Amino acid sequence: MTKLLSLLAIFGTLLITNAFTNTNINTIVRSTCSTSNSSNRGSPSSLHMTILTANGKKIDVKEGTPLKAACAKLGVKPKYSCQKGDCGSCTITVGGSRIKACVGKVPPMPKLKSLQEKGLEVRG
């Protein structure tokens, strides 16, 4: 919302003064947008994807998505019993970590470049 208001303020100023040509307006808008986007990199609203692999199939999943939905997309079918994470029958391995699929979330993408390219292996 603040981005929109700042862009409207810039356009309003430019239209009132008529001091700039069209190319200058485009340059100002581009620089304003790129500056505001770079400040939002660490915000929780930015989109971070994790690559998950199983049985030769690769999918991109938003980090924090329920692991149950990601497993369904991959074709991995863990066994469910309690649906609350108490029994542990739905525990699967994601990139070497054991996570309960019924209550777990997709982990963030690893920092290692080799794992980023291959993706996290999911084993049920």
Side-chain angles (χ1 to χ4, degrees):
M1 187 69 176
T2 57
K3 289 181 195 177
L4 181 62
L5 291 175
S6 64
L7 286 175
L8 286 174
I10 290 172
F11 280 126
T13 305
L14 294 176
L15 291 175
I16 290 171
T17 59
N18 286 333
F20 296 101
T21 63
N22 286 339
T23 55
N24 289 338
I25 291 172
N26 291 337
T27 306
I28 290 171
V29 171
R30 273 193 220 114
S31 65
T32 304
C33 291
S34 64
T35 305
S36 60
N37 286 342
S38 64
S39 64
N40 286 338
R41 280 195 189 137
S43 71
S45 65
S46 58
L47 188 65
H48 297 286
M49 301 298 280
T50 300
I51 299 173
L52 297 177
T53 61
N55 302 326
K57 186 175 179 182
K58 252 185 188 180
I59 61 167
D60 284 339
V61 184
K62 183 178 173 186
E63 100 182 28
T65 302
L67 200 52
K68 189 184 223 181
C71 286
K73 279 185 181 179
L74 273 173
V76 175
K77 297 178 183 176
K79 297 175 184 172
Y80 297 105
S81 182
C82 69
Q83 300 288 328
K84 296 185 282 184
D86 293 336
C87 67
S89 65
C90 62
T91 304
I92 60 171
T93 304
V94 179
S97 299
R98 310 254 317 144
I99 302 174
K100 295 176 183 173
C102 62
V103 293
K105 305 285 183 190
V106 173
M109 192 65 169
K111 302 255 189 261
L112 290 174
K113 200 167 200 170
S114 61
L115 288 177
Q116 287 177 353
E117 293 168 358
K118 292 179 186 175
L120 295 174
E121 179 70 27
V122 176
R123 294 184 192 160

PDB file of all heavy atoms in Angstrom, residues 7-32:
ATOM      1  N   LEU A   7       4.200   5.932  -5.299  1.00  0.00           N
ATOM      2  CA  LEU A   7       4.167   6.073  -6.750  1.00  0.00           C
ATOM      3  C   LEU A   7       3.137   7.117  -7.179  1.00  0.00           C
ATOM      4  O   LEU A   7       3.371   7.900  -8.097  1.00  0.00           O
ATOM      5  CB  LEU A   7       3.861   4.739  -7.411  1.00  0.00           C
ATOM      6  CG  LEU A   7       4.999   3.723  -7.423  1.00  0.00           C
ATOM      7  CD1 LEU A   7       4.515   2.398  -7.997  1.00  0.00           C
ATOM      8  CD2 LEU A   7       6.183   4.233  -8.203  1.00  0.00           C
ATOM      9  N   LEU A   8       1.987   7.129  -6.501  1.00  0.00           N
ATOM     10  CA  LEU A   8       0.971   8.134  -6.816  1.00  0.00           C
ATOM     11  C   LEU A   8       1.478   9.545  -6.511  1.00  0.00           C
ATOM     12  O   LEU A   8       1.211  10.483  -7.253  1.00  0.00           O
ATOM     13  CB  LEU A   8      -0.310   7.858  -6.038  1.00  0.00           C
ATOM     14  CG  LEU A   8      -1.142   6.682  -6.534  1.00  0.00           C
ATOM     15  CD1 LEU A   8      -2.311   6.428  -5.600  1.00  0.00           C
ATOM     16  CD2 LEU A   8      -1.637   6.911  -7.942  1.00  0.00           C
ATOM     17  N   ALA A   9       2.227   9.696  -5.426  1.00  0.00           N
ATOM     18  CA  ALA A   9       2.784  11.004  -5.084  1.00  0.00           C
ATOM     19  C   ALA A   9       3.785  11.455  -6.153  1.00  0.00           C
ATOM     20  O   ALA A   9       3.795  12.623  -6.553  1.00  0.00           O
ATOM     21  CB  ALA A   9       3.456  10.950  -3.717  1.00  0.00           C
ATOM     22  N   ILE A  10       4.602  10.525  -6.631  1.00  0.00           N
ATOM     23  CA  ILE A  10       5.585  10.861  -7.667  1.00  0.00           C
ATOM     24  C   ILE A  10       4.874  11.265  -8.952  1.00  0.00           C
ATOM     25  O   ILE A  10       5.192  12.289  -9.557  1.00  0.00           O
ATOM     26  CB  ILE A  10       6.532   9.668  -7.924  1.00  0.00           C
ATOM     27  CG1 ILE A  10       7.455   9.473  -6.727  1.00  0.00           C
ATOM     28  CG2 ILE A  10       7.345   9.890  -9.192  1.00  0.00           C
ATOM     29  CD1 ILE A  10       8.289   8.220  -6.807  1.00  0.00           C
ATOM     30  N   PHE A  11       3.869  10.465  -9.380  1.00  0.00           N
ATOM     31  CA  PHE A  11       3.137  10.796 -10.599  1.00  0.00           C
ATOM     32  C   PHE A  11       2.413  12.132 -10.476  1.00  0.00           C
ATOM     33  O   PHE A  11       2.379  12.912 -11.410  1.00  0.00           O
ATOM     34  CB  PHE A  11       2.135   9.694 -10.958  1.00  0.00           C
ATOM     35  CG  PHE A  11       2.761   8.516 -11.643  1.00  0.00           C
ATOM     36  CD1 PHE A  11       2.586   7.240 -11.160  1.00  0.00           C
ATOM     37  CD2 PHE A  11       3.540   8.685 -12.777  1.00  0.00           C
ATOM     38  CE1 PHE A  11       3.157   6.159 -11.783  1.00  0.00           C
ATOM     39  CE2 PHE A  11       4.117   7.606 -13.408  1.00  0.00           C
ATOM     40  CZ  PHE A  11       3.929   6.337 -12.915  1.00  0.00           C
ATOM     41  N   GLY A  12       1.817  12.370  -9.318  1.00  0.00           N
ATOM     42  CA  GLY A  12       1.115  13.634  -9.111  1.00  0.00           C
ATOM     43  C   GLY A  12       2.044  14.818  -9.234  1.00  0.00           C
ATOM     44  O   GLY A  12       1.733  15.824  -9.886  1.00  0.00           O
ATOM     45  N   THR A  13       3.238  14.710  -8.649  1.00  0.00           N
ATOM     46  CA  THR A  13       4.222  15.786  -8.724  1.00  0.00           C
ATOM     47  C   THR A  13       4.672  15.995 -10.160  1.00  0.00           C
ATOM     48  O   THR A  13       4.784  17.131 -10.630  1.00  0.00           O
ATOM     49  CB  THR A  13       5.445  15.452  -7.846  1.00  0.00           C
ATOM     50  OG1 THR A  13       4.990  15.191  -6.524  1.00  0.00           O
ATOM     51  CG2 THR A  13       6.437  16.592  -7.834  1.00  0.00           C
ATOM     52  N   LEU A  14       4.900  14.896 -10.880  1.00  0.00           N
ATOM     53  CA  LEU A  14       5.368  14.999 -12.260  1.00  0.00           C
ATOM     54  C   LEU A  14       4.302  15.584 -13.180  1.00  0.00           C
ATOM     55  O   LEU A  14       4.615  16.366 -14.079  1.00  0.00           O
ATOM     56  CB  LEU A  14       5.807  13.623 -12.776  1.00  0.00           C
ATOM     57  CG  LEU A  14       7.033  13.026 -12.098  1.00  0.00           C
ATOM     58  CD1 LEU A  14       7.293  11.627 -12.630  1.00  0.00           C
ATOM     59  CD2 LEU A  14       8.246  13.896 -12.296  1.00  0.00           C
ATOM     60  N   LEU A  15       3.063  15.201 -12.975  1.00  0.00           N
ATOM     61  CA  LEU A  15       2.000  15.710 -13.830  1.00  0.00           C
ATOM     62  C   LEU A  15       1.723  17.191 -13.581  1.00  0.00           C
ATOM     63  O   LEU A  15       1.425  17.935 -14.502  1.00  0.00           O
ATOM     64  CB  LEU A  15       0.727  14.897 -13.622  1.00  0.00           C
ATOM     65  CG  LEU A  15       0.784  13.456 -14.130  1.00  0.00           C
ATOM     66  CD1 LEU A  15      -0.485  12.713 -13.754  1.00  0.00           C
ATOM     67  CD2 LEU A  15       0.994  13.408 -15.625  1.00  0.00           C
ATOM     68  N   ILE A  16       1.836  17.616 -12.340  1.00  0.00           N
ATOM     69  CA  ILE A  16       1.566  19.016 -12.012  1.00  0.00           C
ATOM     70  C   ILE A  16       2.650  19.922 -12.579  1.00  0.00           C
ATOM     71  O   ILE A  16       2.378  20.954 -13.175  1.00  0.00           O
ATOM     72  CB  ILE A  16       1.439  19.199 -10.487  1.00  0.00           C
ATOM     73  CG1 ILE A  16       0.154  18.532 -10.012  1.00  0.00           C
ATOM     74  CG2 ILE A  16       1.455  20.670 -10.094  1.00  0.00           C
ATOM     75  CD1 ILE A  16       0.020  18.452  -8.520  1.00  0.00           C
ATOM     76  N   THR A  17       3.898  19.526 -12.414  1.00  0.00           N
ATOM     77  CA  THR A  17       5.002  20.404 -12.820  1.00  0.00           C
ATOM     78  C   THR A  17       5.286  20.347 -14.313  1.00  0.00           C
ATOM     79  O   THR A  17       5.786  21.300 -14.886  1.00  0.00           O
ATOM     80  CB  THR A  17       6.284  20.045 -12.065  1.00  0.00           C
ATOM     81  OG1 THR A  17       6.608  18.690 -12.337  1.00  0.00           O
ATOM     82  CG2 THR A  17       6.125  20.275 -10.582  1.00  0.00           C
ATOM     83  N   ASN A  18       4.994  19.198 -14.975  1.00  0.00           N
ATOM     84  CA  ASN A  18       5.303  19.010 -16.395  1.00  0.00           C
ATOM     85  C   ASN A  18       6.771  19.322 -16.710  1.00  0.00           C
ATOM     86  O   ASN A  18       7.097  19.800 -17.781  1.00  0.00           O
ATOM     87  CB  ASN A  18       4.402  19.873 -17.287  1.00  0.00           C
ATOM     88  CG  ASN A  18       3.009  19.332 -17.370  1.00  0.00           C
ATOM     89  OD1 ASN A  18       2.805  18.129 -17.220  1.00  0.00           O
ATOM     90  ND2 ASN A  18       2.052  20.204 -17.581  1.00  0.00           N
ATOM     91  N   ALA A  19       7.631  19.057 -15.771  1.00  0.00           N
ATOM     92  CA  ALA A  19       9.033  19.383 -15.944  1.00  0.00           C
ATOM     93  C   ALA A  19       9.816  18.248 -16.592  1.00  0.00           C
ATOM     94  O   ALA A  19      10.945  18.439 -17.016  1.00  0.00           O
ATOM     95  CB  ALA A  19       9.659  19.723 -14.596  1.00  0.00           C
ATOM     96  N   PHE A  20       9.229  17.070 -16.657  1.00  0.00           N
ATOM     97  CA  PHE A  20       9.959  15.920 -17.166  1.00  0.00           C
ATOM     98  C   PHE A  20       9.340  15.406 -18.447  1.00  0.00           C
ATOM     99  O   PHE A  20       8.148  15.547 -18.674  1.00  0.00           O
ATOM    100  CB  PHE A  20       9.947  14.784 -16.129  1.00  0.00           C
ATOM    101  CG  PHE A  20      10.650  15.128 -14.855  1.00  0.00           C
ATOM    102  CD1 PHE A  20       9.930  15.501 -13.738  1.00  0.00           C
ATOM    103  CD2 PHE A  20      12.018  15.097 -14.781  1.00  0.00           C
ATOM    104  CE1 PHE A  20      10.569  15.814 -12.567  1.00  0.00           C
ATOM    105  CE2 PHE A  20      12.665  15.407 -13.615  1.00  0.00           C
ATOM    106  CZ  PHE A  20      11.946  15.770 -12.498  1.00  0.00           C
ATOM    107  N   THR A  21      10.155  14.748 -19.256  1.00  0.00           N
ATOM    108  CA  THR A  21       9.649  14.073 -20.451  1.00  0.00           C
ATOM    109  C   THR A  21       9.241  12.658 -20.069  1.00  0.00           C
ATOM    110  O   THR A  21       9.480  12.205 -18.951  1.00  0.00           O
ATOM    111  CB  THR A  21      10.738  14.016 -21.539  1.00  0.00           C
ATOM    112  OG1 THR A  21      11.819  13.237 -21.044  1.00  0.00           O
ATOM    113  CG2 THR A  21      11.197  15.395 -21.937  1.00  0.00           C
ATOM    114  N   ASN A  22       8.650  11.906 -20.987  1.00  0.00           N
ATOM    115  CA  ASN A  22       8.211  10.545 -20.710  1.00  0.00           C
ATOM    116  C   ASN A  22       9.363   9.628 -20.322  1.00  0.00           C
ATOM    117  O   ASN A  22       9.217   8.763 -19.486  1.00  0.00           O
ATOM    118  CB  ASN A  22       7.477   9.965 -21.914  1.00  0.00           C
ATOM    119  CG  ASN A  22       6.110  10.560 -22.073  1.00  0.00           C
ATOM    120  OD1 ASN A  22       5.553  11.094 -21.109  1.00  0.00           O
ATOM    121  ND2 ASN A  22       5.559  10.489 -23.271  1.00  0.00           N
ATOM    122  N   THR A  23      10.522   9.776 -20.936  1.00  0.00           N
ATOM    123  CA  THR A  23      11.655   8.906 -20.598  1.00  0.00           C
ATOM    124  C   THR A  23      12.114   9.163 -19.173  1.00  0.00           C
ATOM    125  O   THR A  23      12.506   8.229 -18.480  1.00  0.00           O
ATOM    126  CB  THR A  23      12.830   9.128 -21.571  1.00  0.00           C
ATOM    127  OG1 THR A  23      13.174  10.506 -21.574  1.00  0.00           O
ATOM    128  CG2 THR A  23      12.470   8.677 -22.957  1.00  0.00           C
ATOM    129  N   ASN A  24      12.091  10.391 -18.724  1.00  0.00           N
ATOM    130  CA  ASN A  24      12.487  10.678 -17.351  1.00  0.00           C
ATOM    131  C   ASN A  24      11.492  10.094 -16.355  1.00  0.00           C
ATOM    132  O   ASN A  24      11.875   9.611 -15.298  1.00  0.00           O
ATOM    133  CB  ASN A  24      12.611  12.184 -17.125  1.00  0.00           C
ATOM    134  CG  ASN A  24      13.813  12.775 -17.836  1.00  0.00           C
ATOM    135  OD1 ASN A  24      14.756  12.046 -18.152  1.00  0.00           O
ATOM    136  ND2 ASN A  24      13.781  14.062 -18.105  1.00  0.00           N
ATOM    137  N   ILE A  25      10.205  10.119 -16.682  1.00  0.00           N
ATOM    138  CA  ILE A  25       9.195   9.538 -15.805  1.00  0.00           C
ATOM    139  C   ILE A  25       9.437   8.038 -15.671  1.00  0.00           C
ATOM    140  O   ILE A  25       9.423   7.498 -14.572  1.00  0.00           O
ATOM    141  CB  ILE A  25       7.776   9.810 -16.345  1.00  0.00           C
ATOM    142  CG1 ILE A  25       7.453  11.299 -16.236  1.00  0.00           C
ATOM    143  CG2 ILE A  25       6.737   8.999 -15.564  1.00  0.00           C
ATOM    144  CD1 ILE A  25       6.159  11.690 -16.911  1.00  0.00           C
ATOM    145  N   ASN A  26       9.698   7.355 -16.779  1.00  0.00           N
ATOM    146  CA  ASN A  26       9.961   5.917 -16.725  1.00  0.00           C
ATOM    147  C   ASN A  26      11.187   5.605 -15.886  1.00  0.00           C
ATOM    148  O   ASN A  26      11.207   4.644 -15.132  1.00  0.00           O
ATOM    149  CB  ASN A  26      10.134   5.347 -18.137  1.00  0.00           C
ATOM    150  CG  ASN A  26       8.845   5.344 -18.910  1.00  0.00           C
ATOM    151  OD1 ASN A  26       7.770   5.353 -18.319  1.00  0.00           O
ATOM    152  ND2 ASN A  26       8.939   5.349 -20.223  1.00  0.00           N
ATOM    153  N   THR A  27      12.232   6.403 -16.021  1.00  0.00           N
ATOM    154  CA  THR A  27      13.449   6.181 -15.242  1.00  0.00           C
ATOM    155  C   THR A  27      13.178   6.350 -13.755  1.00  0.00           C
ATOM    156  O   THR A  27      13.631   5.543 -12.943  1.00  0.00           O
ATOM    157  CB  THR A  27      14.555   7.175 -15.680  1.00  0.00           C
ATOM    158  OG1 THR A  27      14.729   7.073 -17.081  1.00  0.00           O
ATOM    159  CG2 THR A  27      15.847   6.897 -14.963  1.00  0.00           C
ATOM    160  N   ILE A  28      12.435   7.361 -13.384  1.00  0.00           N
ATOM    161  CA  ILE A  28      12.135   7.602 -11.971  1.00  0.00           C
ATOM    162  C   ILE A  28      11.281   6.469 -11.409  1.00  0.00           C
ATOM    163  O   ILE A  28      11.533   5.969 -10.319  1.00  0.00           O
ATOM    164  CB  ILE A  28      11.433   8.960 -11.785  1.00  0.00           C
ATOM    165  CG1 ILE A  28      12.424  10.080 -12.064  1.00  0.00           C
ATOM    166  CG2 ILE A  28      10.869   9.094 -10.382  1.00  0.00           C
ATOM    167  CD1 ILE A  28      11.802  11.453 -12.117  1.00  0.00           C
ATOM    168  N   VAL A  29      10.289   6.016 -12.161  1.00  0.00           N
ATOM    169  CA  VAL A  29       9.420   4.942 -11.691  1.00  0.00           C
ATOM    170  C   VAL A  29      10.213   3.658 -11.532  1.00  0.00           C
ATOM    171  O   VAL A  29      10.097   2.957 -10.532  1.00  0.00           O
ATOM    172  CB  VAL A  29       8.230   4.739 -12.647  1.00  0.00           C
ATOM    173  CG1 VAL A  29       7.456   3.488 -12.288  1.00  0.00           C
ATOM    174  CG2 VAL A  29       7.326   5.955 -12.599  1.00  0.00           C
ATOM    175  N   ARG A  30      11.073   3.326 -12.506  1.00  0.00           N
ATOM    176  CA  ARG A  30      11.891   2.112 -12.409  1.00  0.00           C
ATOM    177  C   ARG A  30      12.812   2.169 -11.191  1.00  0.00           C
ATOM    178  O   ARG A  30      12.944   1.203 -10.473  1.00  0.00           O
ATOM    179  CB  ARG A  30      12.716   1.924 -13.677  1.00  0.00           C
ATOM    180  CG  ARG A  30      11.966   1.186 -14.735  1.00  0.00           C
ATOM    181  CD  ARG A  30      12.882   0.731 -15.847  1.00  0.00           C
ATOM    182  NE  ARG A  30      12.187   0.929 -17.099  1.00  0.00           N
ATOM    183  CZ  ARG A  30      12.533   1.779 -18.042  1.00  0.00           C
ATOM    184  NH1 ARG A  30      13.599   2.505 -17.919  1.00  0.00           N
ATOM    185  NH2 ARG A  30      11.815   1.899 -19.124  1.00  0.00           N
ATOM    186  N   SER A  31      13.465   3.301 -10.968  1.00  0.00           N
ATOM    187  CA  SER A  31      14.389   3.395  -9.836  1.00  0.00           C
ATOM    188  C   SER A  31      13.635   3.324  -8.516  1.00  0.00           C
ATOM    189  O   SER A  31      14.099   2.728  -7.562  1.00  0.00           O
ATOM    190  CB  SER A  31      15.212   4.687  -9.908  1.00  0.00           C
ATOM    191  OG  SER A  31      14.377   5.814  -9.757  1.00  0.00           O
ATOM    192  N   THR A  32      12.436   3.882  -8.458  1.00  0.00           N
ATOM    193  CA  THR A  32      11.643   3.814  -7.233  1.00  0.00           C
ATOM    194  C   THR A  32      11.203   2.388  -6.966  1.00  0.00           C
ATOM    195  O   THR A  32      11.289   1.902  -5.845  1.00  0.00           O
ATOM    196  CB  THR A  32      10.395   4.725  -7.347  1.00  0.00           C
ATOM    197  OG1 THR A  32      10.820   6.034  -7.640  1.00  0.00           O
ATOM    198  CG2 THR A  32       9.600   4.710  -6.061  1.00  0.00           C
TER     199      THR A  32
END
